[in-house]
Amino acid sequence: MTLILHDLENELFLKTPFSRIDDSVVINPNDILPCIGCFKCWTELPGTCALKDKYSINSLYLKNADKVIIISKNYYGSYSPIIKNFFDRSISYVKPQFRKVYDEMHHVKRYKKKLNIE
């Protein structure tokens, strides 16, 4: 399954070739609630956001995706706040524990599958 994240207007997105990819889930998180930093996704509800909306299972979308395609407006050289908010709400994709990798601290993976983000 291909996960397509975008912040385009739907009419514009439908004109792109990405709208015709088979076996895909398309998410336009324009109505996503912001992360409140409660960390319940790590402590009480591992893998699930405590905010009750359709984005509470973002980490499962990422876990089940073979490929993630991000289409975003450019904000100061980065993703739009809407796309960033999706990833903020997906922090439960990793565990709160750390491990050292090449003298850098990394979160421990919750899922074995490696993300393929384009």
Side-chain angles (χ1 to χ4, degrees):
M1 183 259 306
T2 300
L3 176 64
I4 302 171
L5 291 172
H6 76 91
D7 60 1
L8 305 175
E9 291 75 25
N10 283 329
E11 300 80 29
L12 182 58
F13 175 73
L14 292 174
K15 293 178 182 178
T16 70
F18 301 105
S19 67
R20 296 180 287 283
I21 295 177
D22 292 332
D23 189 32
S24 65
V25 172
V26 178
I27 297 178
N28 182 347
N30 283 322
D31 59 343
I32 189 168
L33 296 170
C35 176
I36 60 173
C38 68
F39 295 110
K40 288 183 180 178
C41 59
W42 278 344
T43 59
E44 295 176 25
L45 308 163
T48 306
C49 180
L51 297 176
K52 300 300 178 204
D53 63 5
K54 62 185 176 184
Y55 303 103
S56 63
I57 57 168
N58 285 354
S59 66
L60 295 179
Y61 285 128
L62 295 171
K63 173 190 174 252
N64 293 325
D66 298 316
K67 183 188 324 184
V68 179
I69 298 174
I70 301 170
I71 306 167
S72 175
K73 298 170 188 165
N74 187 329
Y75 280 76
Y76 303 103
S78 188
Y79 303 126
S80 72
I82 294 168
I83 299 298
K84 183 184 179 305
N85 203 7
F86 177 89
F87 285 108
D88 288 348
R89 292 275 308 275
S90 305
I91 195 170
S92 63
Y93 184 77
V94 294
K95 293 181 178 181
Q97 294 83 17
F98 291 100
R99 66 185 179 105
K100 197 170 185 179
V101 179
Y102 301 114
D103 292 326
E104 298 175 347
M105 296 304 289
H106 291 254
H107 281 280
V108 175
K109 293 179 182 180
R110 184 178 302 279
Y111 308 107
K112 294 189 186 292
K113 191 178 207 180
K114 184 178 179 183
L115 279 177
N116 179 10
I117 298 179
E118 296 183 12

